[in-house]
Amino acid sequence: TGRRSLEETNLPVVQKLNDVTEDAKVCNCCKERKVEIGRESSRKLDYQPSSLFVVETVTPRYACPKCKEGVVSAPAPMQAVEKGMAGEGLLAHIVTSKYADHLPLHRQEGILLRHGVEIDRSTMSDWVGQVAEALTPIYTEIRAQLLKTDYLQTDDTPVVILDKGGGSFKGRLWVYHDPLGRQTVFEATRTHEQAGPVAFLSSFRGYLQADAYKGYDVLYRDRRITEDACWAHSRRRFVEARELA
């Protein structure tokens, strides 16, 4: 209970001096200049909106002034998205805002416009796809580590997917979780067919904790994967029976 001390946050401190005027520092009686005998301070937590800025990369070229040969210059710096106008910081901000903060691209479009920069949501959508491609090696490695375990939890949820040609369809988002290694991988499929989890778990050996979705049954037939019932679904039936009693 009580207000948390701002000293515990380890945030940078910007000090503002709330001082009297120079005239007030002179005594009215003897005209002697007053000296400081103490000070009081108070702290507030404030916020400064994020800002956009332009990064200009300058690459000098060098050559011998005498023979004009051996021109050298530094190689172009690596970029997450080649030949794009968005820097890595902006790309990370857009993706984090979309997936971690659930801020749709059309709202981010308005936020950026308030900063004086007009970026169409379709452009940001393309950037999100390019970021996904850039992160593929990391995804592949995490997936490989996850499939080496012998105990996984999985579930799926429907998600509306907008089609570039217009309209939409209901796809599926699957999550595969290693609770012991604390690794999580998401896999998107266009349908709820069993082909999605069957392909993802083709190399997995061990216990799979999941709901009673019929699509998982094919995974248990050769006994390389052992069905591990979901406790939440098991408990649900007892709760329903108690309510009917």
Side-chain angles (χ1 to χ4, degrees), residues 19-239:
D19 208 351
V20 299
T21 63
E22 290 299 316
D23 292 340
K25 294 179 182 180
V26 178
C27 180
N28 292 329
C29 299
C30 62
K31 305 302 180 184
E32 187 75 17
R33 185 172 179 83
K34 298 178 181 179
V35 296
E36 183 177 332
I37 59 173
R39 58 176 53 188
E40 296 179 352
S41 65
S42 61
R43 290 189 171 191
K44 290 182 178 292
L45 185 63
D46 208 345
Y47 172 77
Q48 180 176 338
S50 57
S51 58
L52 295 168
F53 56 93
V54 177
V55 177
E56 181 181 9
T57 302
V58 180
T59 304
R61 292 193 301 270
Y62 299 91
C64 176
K66 187 174 183 179
C67 61
K68 312 298 183 184
E69 296 293 335
V71 178
V72 295
S73 61
M78 295 185 63
Q79 303 177 63
V81 176
E82 295 293 338
K83 300 179 180 179
M85 64 173 288
E88 284 70 29
L90 178 58
L91 294 173
H93 174 71
I94 291 173
V95 173
T96 302
S97 298
K98 176 176 172 60
Y99 293 105
D101 301 332
H102 304 284
L103 197 60
L105 294 180
H106 72 273
R107 293 184 182 174
Q108 295 192 52
E109 184 180 25
I111 293 172
L112 292 172
L113 193 59
R114 290 202 299 269
H115 286 278
V117 178
E118 185 176 355
I119 301 177
D120 191 80
R121 70 192 71 173
S122 63
T123 299
M124 286 190 282
S125 180
D126 291 338
W127 289 349
V128 170
Q130 291 169 333
V131 169
E133 292 181 9
L135 294 176
T136 297
I138 298 176
Y139 162 81
T140 302
E141 176 60 27
I142 295 177
R143 173 175 172 167
Q145 293 180 15
L146 182 133
L147 292 174
K148 289 179 181 178
T149 64
D150 59 1
Y151 169 44
L152 289 179
Q153 298 170 328
T154 184
D155 202 358
D156 66 275
T157 186
V159 57
V160 177
I161 301 175
L162 300 179
D163 198 332
K164 281 190 174 181
S168 63
F169 62 93
K170 184 177 290 187
R172 220 72 184 185
L173 189 63
W174 309 77
V175 58
Y176 300 93
H177 176 56
D178 169 17
L180 302 180
R182 298 183 181 276
Q183 297 272 41
T184 303
V185 170
F186 292 90
E187 182 87 348
T189 59
R190 297 180 66 89
T191 68
H192 193 211
E193 297 175 356
Q194 66 182 26
V198 168
F200 187 94
L201 298 168
S202 60
S203 64
F204 176 69
R205 303 289 188 276
Y207 294 89
L208 182 66
Q209 190 168 23
D211 59 20
Y213 168 53
K214 294 297 183 181
Y216 295 130
D217 292 347
V218 67
L219 297 171
Y220 309 136
R221 290 175 183 170
D222 59 4
R223 297 188 178 181
R224 65 180 177 85
I225 297 179
T226 302
E227 181 178 7
D228 200 0
C230 173
W231 283 106
H233 285 79
S234 301
R235 178 181 178 275
R236 182 187 304 169
R237 303 304 181 188
F238 289 97
V239 173

